[in-house]
Amino acid sequence: MRICYIGHKRIPSREGGIEVVVTELAARLAQRGEDVVVFNRKGHNVAGREFDAKSTGKSRETTYKGARVIYVPTLDFKGLAALTSSFFATLKAIRLKPDVIHYHAEGPSVMLLLAKLAGVHTVATVHGLDWKRAKWGGFAKTYIKLGEKIIAHFADEIIVLNSDTQQYFIQRYHRQTQLIPNGIEPKVSVPSQRIYDSFGLTKGSYILYLGRIVPEKGIEYLLGAFKQIKTPVKLVIAGGASDSQDYFEKIERLASQDKRVIITGFVHGNILAELYSNAYVYVLPSDIEGMPMSLLEAMSYGNCCLVSDIPGCVDVVGDHALLFKHGSVQDLKDHLQKLLDNPVLVNKYKNQASSYITQKYNWNEVVERTIALYKKAVH
């Protein structure tokens, strides 16, 4: 089959969970012999300027593990990057006469209507109800809601990542969806070498948040809770801004009030692996999640995880992590204090995390179910 991917920023990339998912799907399907074409945006990379696509003007083409990667023109402004890149990607994809165009996220899926009018079969993955995210203004929220409606009415098949979103589509649009979660591979823990040299961090000496620095991730709750705790353990906040530079700077200002807080910026490679491998506890205090890849990764490294009690997190962890009442600084503080006072409890969760998560979410199964859905969409 010829399968086109639209809606992510870039692959291979760790700019967000969508990019990780598309990277995995594209590579695995190409290795199976499918004809995979991935449309990357041009413009700024969350990882930093050194990772930005250097090409300008005409689109350039590369390959990644057997998948064709085509860069499309992009207006690199908040709210316009997804709109423009998905528009040009859809036009290029239609010319390739694919069997399926697979759209990711609600905003880029506005262009799914163009593919449908051209007679191309479409699949859309709703990674979350993106219009709820605080970083978007009025126009962006309206545009994202339009994408959601187009998905509901015109996509041949819809993939969702949690039961809460599945119920939402039934109640709001009377539309059935397929729940196909993300996958994760077992990880090997590594010693704290670079993070010691860079940040003075040793095994078990810090609490970790790792993810995008955006309002819906609840980082302010975490800073507020940690401030109330007397402990030599540090708090590490690792990640980059995503259309949210003002918020990132706000977090930096709040963090500067406590010398125990370390802001690393975007991390990848060995630093990323070391941060996951040596944390005392991983915390994800989000208000909104579809299926957080950072949480899957944290558990795959054998972390004790403390997460907010929202469906996107609860569906992932089951009873293999601790939950706190989302939005409650006091409840988050109480749970952090409990874990800091009880290393035996922390080790209990650490010992079961990796085997649980890697058995529950397997990339091979995800790929099989996804390719079956493509065939269903076509036939």
Side-chain angles (χ1 to χ4, degrees):
M1 300 181 73
R2 172 167 287 176
I3 305 152
C4 293
Y5 286 100
I6 296 173
H8 60 288
K9 294 182 179 71
R10 280 157 286 272
I11 76 158
S13 170
R14 291 192 53 86
E15 293 176 82
I18 293 176
E19 286 69 43
V20 174
V21 171
V22 175
T23 298
E24 290 285 347
L25 285 176
R28 290 170 182 273
L29 286 170
Q31 288 166 6
R32 283 172 52 114
E34 310 297 345
D35 182 3
V36 179
V37 184
V38 181
F39 291 94
N40 277 5
R41 298 183 196 176
K42 292 182 181 179
H44 178 57
N45 192 308
V46 173
R49 291 293 174 187
E50 65 271 26
F51 294 92
D52 287 350
K54 295 180 180 179
S55 63
T56 57
K58 292 183 179 180
S59 300
R60 67 184 178 92
E61 182 174 332
T62 60
T63 60
Y64 175 72
K65 295 187 176 180
R68 294 171 61 193
V69 179
I70 299 174
Y71 283 82
V72 296
T74 306
L75 288 179
D76 197 15
F77 299 101
K78 182 177 180 180
L80 292 179
L83 187 160
T84 54
S85 61
S86 59
F87 171 73
F88 289 113
T90 299
L91 294 183
K92 287 180 176 291
I94 289 170
R95 293 193 198 105
L96 295 176
K97 297 181 179 179
D99 295 288
V100 173
I101 299 179
H102 188 164
Y103 288 87
H104 287 264
E106 293 180 323
S109 294
V110 168
M111 301 305 163
L112 182 151
L113 187 57
L114 293 178
K116 199 67 181 172
L117 290 170
V120 179
H121 296 291
T122 58
V123 173
T125 294
V126 178
H127 290 263
L129 303 181
D130 293 334
W131 50 268
K132 290 185 176 182
R133 302 187 191 279
K135 68 180 181 179
W136 299 123
F139 170 77
K141 287 181 184 290
T142 301
Y143 185 79
I144 291 168
K145 285 183 179 180
L146 174 61
E148 179 179 288
K149 290 177 181 178
I150 287 172
I151 289 171
H153 294 297
F154 296 105
D156 291 299
E157 296 291 341
I158 304 171
I159 297 172
V160 297
L161 303 181
N162 61 59
S163 57
D164 193 56
T165 306
Q166 193 169 42
Q167 286 302 311
Y168 171 81
F169 269 82
I170 291 173
Q171 294 170 5
R172 179 72 178 83
Y173 299 106
H174 308 290
R175 180 67 196 267
Q176 294 293 329
T177 61
Q178 298 291 324
L179 202 167
I180 303 179
N182 299 327
I184 193 69
E185 294 281 355
K187 300 295 192 301
V188 177
S189 294
V190 294
S192 55
Q193 297 176 347
R194 296 193 180 189
I195 61 172
Y196 177 77
D197 294 337
S198 300
F199 310 112
L201 299 172
T202 57
K203 189 171 184 63
S205 68
Y206 58 95
I207 295 165
L208 176 65
Y209 165 84
L210 196 153
R212 290 176 298 127
I213 310 300
V214 290
E216 65 268 16
K217 293 293 186 179
I219 302 166
E220 289 176 77
Y221 308 144
L222 179 56
L223 288 169
F226 185 74
K227 185 178 180 181
Q228 301 177 47
I229 299 172
K230 293 183 179 180
T231 178
V233 173
K234 293 179 171 61
L235 171 62
V236 175
I237 297 175
S242 177
D243 294 309
S244 56
Q245 187 59 37
D246 290 345
Y247 183 75
F248 187 93
E249 292 170 1
K250 177 182 179 180
I251 293 300
E252 286 184 313
R253 288 193 299 271
L254 291 173
S256 68
Q257 299 170 12
D258 190 332
K259 294 181 179 179
R260 300 171 299 168
V261 180
I262 297 171
I263 305 287
T264 69
F266 185 87
V267 294
H268 63 101
N270 291 335
I271 294 281
L272 177 90
E274 289 185 20
L275 284 173
Y276 275 135
S277 297
N278 297 284
Y280 182 71
V281 169
Y282 175 82
V283 183
L284 186 61
S286 300
D287 288 323
I288 303 169
E289 289 289 355
M291 186 179 190
M293 283 302 303
S294 59
L295 178 55
L296 270 68
E297 289 178 334
M299 295 189 75
S300 72
Y301 275 98
N303 275 289
C304 170
C305 295
L306 172 61
V307 302
S308 54
D309 61 350
I310 59 174
C313 291
V314 174
D315 283 2
V316 170
V317 303
D319 59 357
H320 290 75
L322 287 92
L323 307 174
F324 75 95
K325 186 177 180 181
H326 77 275
S328 172
V329 173
Q330 183 61 47
D331 198 37
L332 176 53
K333 180 253 181 183
D334 291 343
H335 276 82
L336 283 172
Q337 188 68 66
K338 177 182 178 181
L339 292 171
L340 288 166
D341 293 341
N342 195 341
V344 173
L345 179 63
V346 170
N347 286 329
K348 171 192 168 185
Y349 283 100
K350 282 179 178 286
N351 291 335
Q352 59 183 293
S354 181
S355 59
Y356 163 76
I357 206 72
T358 54
Q359 289 174 22
K360 185 177 181 182
Y361 300 109
N362 181 279
W363 270 122
N364 291 331
E365 182 181 343
V366 170
V367 168
E368 292 295 336
R369 293 179 62 189
T370 302
I371 198 71
L373 198 67
Y374 293 159
K375 292 177 180 178
K376 182 181 178 185
V378 170
H379 297 296

